[in-house]
């Protein structure tokens, strides 16, 4: 039988790529988006959840009473919870209080136990979601801590799947890859594989205004002055993850909440791709990069679109939320201008 699977985990990976036709039209290159929302957990994190849990199984670390523990802004949690259901493990997650209520409801619907922790405290504060997860893992017998920020299997999952898929899908023609970096696993693993095939491929990380990653890449120093609160979930950090291979990244671009939000909405309206907030961020990263770098017509650019927009209906897809942020100079409010079309009122 074709396209029939034993369980939902059979659908992970082999995500499609779609050419962008309008949003990046001003760039000479051909631009493709890799739609990680087509994973069954609707994000790129399905890949690492399966890989890390199956690796622990191979090492004999898990049995039927095992508990899987993780810190997560949402996506990794959905993926870990999904894998735990199919494999019969318990799932405990520590999330930041930036996480929207519907994401927490989703995690609970997948059977996870969820602890909500303050995002405003430093990473080494005992109340931070990193420290809470570590403590739970320490205190829970028979548990495995996914530890995505400091687990080299996070990189390895993308080295084995995302990177080779992109190489095959572009028939080796890729010249640039752009991805938002949170743990850094997606970009690092993909870049490691792709640079082995062709060292000339340019790797560009997209960081958040308010995060330390770009500064660290440029100076080797974590500058605490770079840190300030921001709205985009899942990208940027206030610490240096070891899942981020800085030497595989040629350049970082920083994007702000406002431009990433407009771009997310624009992609939905012009390409009919409902992506998460970092979908807008990575696209904004490319457009900013293009201000200071020339692209050729033969260039093939791949953007990682990490997750699905349905997770952001009360955030970036809410006009009220946009207005509350002061994001009002928005093409989204003027549909006629977007499409240069007369709408029947
Ligand atoms: N976008 C979203 C929405 C995410 O949840 C994540 C993961 N934190 C990323 C981008 C970045 O992926 P990575 O952790 O592999 O760098």
């Amino acid at each position: 039988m074709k396209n029939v699977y034993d369980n939902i985990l059979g659908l992970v990976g082999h995500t499609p790529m779609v050419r962008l036709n309008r949003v990046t039209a001003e760039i000479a290159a051909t631009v493709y988006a890799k739609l990680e929302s087509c994973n069954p957990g609707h994000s790129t994190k399905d890949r690492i959840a399966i890989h890390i849990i199956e690796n622990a199984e191979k090492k004999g670390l898990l049995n039927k009473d095992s508990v899987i523990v993780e810190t997560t802004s949402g996506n990794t949690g959905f993926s870990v919870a999904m894998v735990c259901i199919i494999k019969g493990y318990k799932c405990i997650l520590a999330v930041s209080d930036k996480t929207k209520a519907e994401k927490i409801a989703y995690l609970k619907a997948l059977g996870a136990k969820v602890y909500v922790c303050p995002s405003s405290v430093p990473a080494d504060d005992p109340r931070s979601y990193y420290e809470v997860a570590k403590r739970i893992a320490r205190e829970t017998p028979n548990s495995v801590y996914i530890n995505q920020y400091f687990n080299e299997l996070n990189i390895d999952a993308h080295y084995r799947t995302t990177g080779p898929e992109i190489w095959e899908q572009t028939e080796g023609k890729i010249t640039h890859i752009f991805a938002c970096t949170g743990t850094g696993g997606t970009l690092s693993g993909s870049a490691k594989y792709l640079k082995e095939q062709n060292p000339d491929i340019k790797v560009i990380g997209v960081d958040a205004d308010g995060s330390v990653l770009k500064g660290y890449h440029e100076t080797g120093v974590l500058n605490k002055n770079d840190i300030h609160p921001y709205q985009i979930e899942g990208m940027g950090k206030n610490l240096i993850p070891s899942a981020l291979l800085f030497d595989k990244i040629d350049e970082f671009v920083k994007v702000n909440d406002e431009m990433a939000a407009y771009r997310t909405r624009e992609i939905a309206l012009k390409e009919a791709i409902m992506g998460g907030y970092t979908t807008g961020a990575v696209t904004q990263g490319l457009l900013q990069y293009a201000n200071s770098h020339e692209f050729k017509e033969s260039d093939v650019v791949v953007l990682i679109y990490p997750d699905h927009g349905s997770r952001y209906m009360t955030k970036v897809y809410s006009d009220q939320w946009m207005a509350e942020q002061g994001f009002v100079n928005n093409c989204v409010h003027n549909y006629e201008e977007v499409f240069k079309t007369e709408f029947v009122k």
Side-chain angles (χ1 to χ4, degrees):
M1 288 189 284
K2 259 195 186 162
N3 224 2
V4 176
Y5 299 89
D6 289 342
N7 61 59
I8 195 80
L9 302 186
L11 275 67
V12 175
H14 305 288
T15 53
M17 295 203 318
V18 174
R19 197 181 67 216
L20 299 183
N21 298 304
R22 290 174 173 159
V23 172
T24 55
E26 69 197 52
I27 294 169
T30 306
V31 181
Y32 293 106
K34 186 157 174 69
L35 299 186
E36 290 297 290
S37 59
C38 292
N39 282 299
H42 305 152
S43 89
T44 185
K45 294 295 178 180
D46 286 1
R47 299 173 187 270
I48 74 162
I50 290 199
H51 189 58
I52 294 171
I53 292 171
E54 290 190 343
N55 192 274
E57 285 175 339
K58 279 190 203 125
K59 287 187 184 147
L61 297 176
L62 299 177
N63 63 32
K64 66 175 180 38
D65 300 317
S66 289
V67 178
I68 313 292
V69 184
E70 184 51 330
T71 52
T72 170
S73 64
N75 282 331
T76 306
F78 303 136
S79 302
V80 171
M82 176 182 77
V83 176
C84 284
I85 287 177
I86 300 302
K87 292 181 175 285
Y89 307 124
K90 292 187 192 69
C91 175
I92 299 183
L93 303 168
V95 305
S96 119
D97 60 9
K98 279 203 282 182
T99 311
K100 286 275 177 191
E102 71 257 28
K103 278 193 174 181
I104 293 171
Y106 192 138
L107 294 170
K108 288 185 173 166
L110 282 173
K113 182 159 180 143
V114 182
Y115 291 90
V116 181
C117 311
S119 55
S120 53
V121 297
D124 57 1
D125 187 289
R127 294 163 296 168
S128 82
Y129 59 111
Y130 312 107
E131 290 301 320
V132 168
K134 270 198 248 168
R135 182 167 53 77
I136 294 168
R138 232 180 10 246
E139 291 173 359
T140 310
N142 206 10
S143 65
V144 165
Y145 179 27
I146 298 272
N147 199 13
Q148 58 172 335
Y149 290 90
F150 297 98
N151 191 335
E152 64 182 31
L153 292 170
N154 175 356
I155 300 170
D156 196 48
H158 294 287
Y159 176 79
R160 287 167 185 257
T161 67
T162 320
E165 286 173 29
I166 293 170
W167 183 252
E168 272 175 35
Q169 284 170 300
T170 61
E171 297 174 335
K173 295 190 183 89
I174 176 172
T175 56
H176 298 72
I177 177 169
F178 285 72
C180 293
T181 48
T183 67
T186 308
L187 188 57
S188 303
S190 305
K192 188 173 162 210
Y193 180 86
L194 291 168
K195 287 216 185 220
E196 278 172 13
Q197 313 312 308
N198 175 3
D200 294 335
I201 293 171
K202 289 270 170 293
V203 175
I204 298 97
V206 180
D207 191 19
D209 206 349
S211 155
V212 299
L213 301 177
K214 180 175 190 282
Y216 186 81
H217 184 248
E218 285 160 12
T219 63
V221 178
L222 187 161
N223 183 352
K224 288 203 167 156
N225 295 329
D226 284 344
I227 301 174
H228 60 78
Y230 56 90
Q231 289 289 348
I232 314 176
E233 291 167 54
M235 68 181 284
K237 271 283 126 318
N238 54 0
L239 51 72
I240 305 301
S242 66
L244 217 177
L245 303 176
F246 284 91
D247 61 335
K248 300 279 179 244
I249 296 173
D250 294 295
E251 201 170 321
F252 269 94
V253 182
K254 248 187 184 181
V255 301
N256 66 31
D257 286 340
E258 183 169 7
M259 289 312 295
Y262 296 154
R263 209 60 77 187
T264 309
R265 299 291 299 261
E266 190 190 3
I267 294 161
L269 277 174
K270 292 189 180 169
E271 308 283 350
I273 297 172
M274 284 291 287
Y277 204 164
T278 54
T279 287
V282 71
T283 311
Q284 176 62 21
L286 164 63
L287 291 163
Q288 284 177 210
Y289 179 89
N291 287 336
S292 53
H293 298 75
E294 282 283 318
F295 281 100
K296 297 195 291 289
E297 257 183 48
S298 56
D299 284 339
V300 174
V301 177
V302 174
L303 308 180
I304 305 287
Y305 277 10
D307 70 352
H308 197 272
S310 58
R311 287 182 177 158
Y312 303 86
M313 297 315 293
T314 57
K315 201 163 178 174
V316 70
Y317 289 109
S318 154
D319 287 346
Q320 189 191 328
W321 182 86
M322 292 288 275
E324 281 163 12
Q325 306 307 308
F327 301 167
V328 288
N329 300 321
N330 189 353
C331 66
V332 168
H333 293 297
N334 188 345
Y335 296 88
E336 284 152 43
E337 196 156 288
V338 170
F339 290 111
K340 306 268 184 273
T341 308
E342 288 269 321
F343 275 72
V344 179
K345 299 243 166 56

